[in-house]
Amino acid sequence: MTAQTVAAPVRRQRGFNLEKWGWVFMRASGVVLVVLIFGHLFINLMVGEGIHALDFAFIAGKFATPFWQWWDVLMLWLALIHGANGMRTIVNDYVTNNTARKALTWALGLAAALLIILGTLVVFTFDPCLGVTESSTLWEQCQTLGK
C-alpha cells in the first residue's frame, strides 16, 4: 500500500484586491449612472418645453442651483472613472508588453483625471454673465443679477 501525497491548499493572498474592487465599482457605478443619465435626459428633453427649451439660458439656470451642479458632477465623475476602469481592463486583457501596458494605464488615468478636474471646474465656476456686453441678449438678466 502506498501513501498518496496531497498538495497543500493554496493560500489566498491577503490585502487589497484592486481587480475585485474594480469589478464591484463597475457594477455599482453602472446602476447609479443609469439613474443619473436617464434623469438627466428626462429633465432636459421631456419636462417643460422639451428639446425646444434647450439653450444657453436653460443650462445657465440649471448650473445656478447646487442640486443640478452636483448631479452633473456626479454623473461626470462616475462616467469618466467607469470608462477609464473599463479601458484599463481592456488594456490589461490585450496588451502583452508590460511597459506598454503601464504606459497606457498611466495615460488613461491622467486623461481621466484631467477631464474630471476640468469638468468639475466648468460646472462649479460657470458664470453665464462672463463676457456679456450691452449688445447681448443676456444683458438685462445679468444687470438684474448685479453682475
Side-chain angles (χ1 to χ4, degrees):
M1 186 132 225
T2 60
Q4 285 185 329
T5 347
V6 178
V10 178
R11 291 189 157 221
R12 287 182 38 180
Q13 183 181 3
R14 300 275 184 216
F16 186 75
N17 186 346
L18 180 66
E19 293 301 321
K20 178 183 92 170
W21 288 108
W23 183 87
V24 169
F25 172 78
M26 291 298 275
R27 272 55 187 175
S29 67
V31 171
V32 175
L33 275 169
V34 165
V35 172
L36 289 172
I37 290 169
F38 280 112
H40 175 83
L41 290 173
F42 180 77
I43 293 299
N44 287 343
L45 302 178
M46 306 295 268
V47 174
E49 296 177 36
I51 196 167
H52 302 292
L54 284 180
D55 59 2
F56 184 79
F58 179 82
I59 303 302
K62 274 185 68 176
F63 281 171
T65 60
F67 176 80
W68 289 114
Q69 286 177 334
W70 283 105
W71 183 286
D72 286 348
V73 162
L74 183 61
M75 188 170 51
L76 171 80
W77 279 54
L78 283 177
L80 283 169
I81 295 170
H82 185 95
N85 191 33
M87 289 301 296
R88 181 192 63 83
T89 302
I90 292 170
V91 166
N92 285 341
D93 286 348
Y94 293 108
V95 177
T96 56
N97 185 309
N98 199 29
T99 306
R101 184 181 316 120
K102 285 182 182 179
L104 287 171
T105 303
W106 271 97
L108 283 169
L110 288 174
L114 180 69
L115 289 172
I116 285 172
I117 290 168
L118 290 175
T120 304
L121 283 172
V122 165
V123 169
F124 287 120
T125 62
F126 180 75
D127 182 8
C129 295
L130 188 65
V132 172
T133 61
E134 288 186 40
S135 61
S136 174
T137 57
L138 293 174
W139 178 254
E140 286 128 16
Q141 292 156 338
C142 290
Q143 289 300 313
T144 59
L145 293 173
K147 293 187 177 195

